[in-house]
């Protein structure tokens, strides 16, 4: 029971800046989500909003910015690839976060006919090709659920992490 004579100041309102600061204190792994649009143009963006959902079937979710060309390609094709970045892939993470339209000309990648999207074989430690099973828009992002259809380990290297608005290696953490 609280004493009515003791006044508690009201909690400050949540703002976009305050929320961003709060979430920067929650380090996470880094991936690049890739797909190709209907004419075959590769699309991709850096993403730290990735979460496992289910083991059976193997399902994950990614949160992609509404209006992004990558999201449009994912929604149009119903497929995407998650490239989990290793500790040496900071430049790729920054490139795909920059919006540079030439990003795919600046990194090595490959895409076989059965792949859901471009595979960043130099920069990824593990790659998962996924099929979209559900989407949900919330605010300025869309949560895309994907069932992993193929998983391929590329390299045995520690993951790249992002927190406090900085990239770090697992080894340094």
């Amino acid at each position: 029971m609280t004493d009515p004579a003791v006044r508690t100041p009201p909690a400050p309102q949540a703002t976009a800046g305050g929320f961003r600061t709060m979430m920067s204190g929650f380090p996470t792994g880094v991936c690049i989500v890739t797909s190709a649009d209907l004419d075959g143009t590769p699309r991709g963006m850096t993403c730290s909003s990735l979460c496992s959902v289910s083991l059976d079937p193997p399902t994950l979710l990614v949160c992609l910015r509404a209006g992004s060309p990558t999201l449009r390609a994912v929604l149009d094709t119903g497929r995407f690839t998650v490239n989990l970045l290793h500790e040496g892939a900071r430049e790729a993470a920054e490139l795909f976060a920059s919006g540079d339209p030439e990003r795919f000309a600046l990194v090595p990648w490959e895409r076989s006919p059965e792949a859901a999207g471009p595979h960043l074989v130099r920069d990824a430690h593990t790659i998962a090709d996924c099929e979209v099973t559900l989407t949900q828009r919330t605010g300025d992002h869309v949560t895309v659920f994907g069932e992993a259809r193929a998983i391929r380990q590329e390299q045995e290297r520690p993951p790249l992490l992002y927190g406090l608005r900085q990239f770090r290696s697992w080894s340094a953490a």
Side-chain angles (χ1 to χ4, degrees), residues 10-29:
Q13 291 295 313
T15 64
F19 187 72
R20 181 181 300 238
T21 298
M22 178 188 87
M23 293 309 298
S24 77
F26 186 69
T28 186

Side-chain angles (χ1 to χ4, degrees), residues 13-84:
Q13 291 295 313
T15 64
F19 187 72
R20 181 181 300 238
T21 298
M22 178 188 87
M23 293 309 298
S24 77
F26 186 69
T28 186
V30 184
C31 71
I32 295 175
V33 175
T34 59
S35 190
D37 60 21
L38 294 175
D39 70 3
T41 303
R43 304 292 182 185
M45 63 189 289
T46 300
C47 178
S48 59
S49 299
L50 166 76
C51 181
S52 64
V53 175
S54 169
L55 292 176
D56 188 19
T59 303
L60 55 78
L61 67 79
V62 293
C63 298
L64 305 177
R65 182 179 47 82
S68 76
T70 302
L71 175 62
R72 175 58 27 221
V74 168
L75 297 177
D76 287 348
T77 64
R79 300 168 49 164
F80 64 97
T81 296
V82 173
N83 296 272
L84 300 180

Side-chain angles (χ1 to χ4, degrees), residues 1 24 33 51 100 106 124 131 144 147 162 165:
M1 189 145 158
S24 77
V33 175
C51 181
D100 184 332
L106 301 172
E131 182 178 316
V144 180
E147 184 176 334
Y162 186 75
R165 300 188 183 125

Side-chain angles (χ1 to χ4, degrees), residues 76-157:
D76 287 348
T77 64
R79 300 168 49 164
F80 64 97
T81 296
V82 173
N83 296 272
L84 300 180
L85 301 185
H86 60 68
E87 66 184 358
R90 177 182 176 165
E91 287 181 16
E94 291 171 341
L95 175 64
F96 279 80
S98 75
D100 184 332
E102 300 300 317
R103 66 192 100 179
F104 281 97
L106 301 172
V107 296
W109 59 279
E110 59 186 45
R111 181 164 185 229
S112 62
E114 65 276 356
H119 290 189
L120 305 178
V121 294
R122 181 192 69 190
D123 297 303
H125 65 77
T126 306
I127 297 171
D129 288 305
C130 302
E131 182 178 316
V132 175
T133 58
L134 178 69
T135 62
Q136 174 66 49
R137 182 169 180 150
T138 304
D140 58 2
H141 278 67
V142 175
T143 302
V144 180
F145 292 81
E147 184 176 334
R149 299 296 188 176
I151 299 171
R152 179 172 133 181
Q153 184 170 1
E154 290 296 321
Q155 303 177 44
E156 287 195 35
R157 293 186 68 182

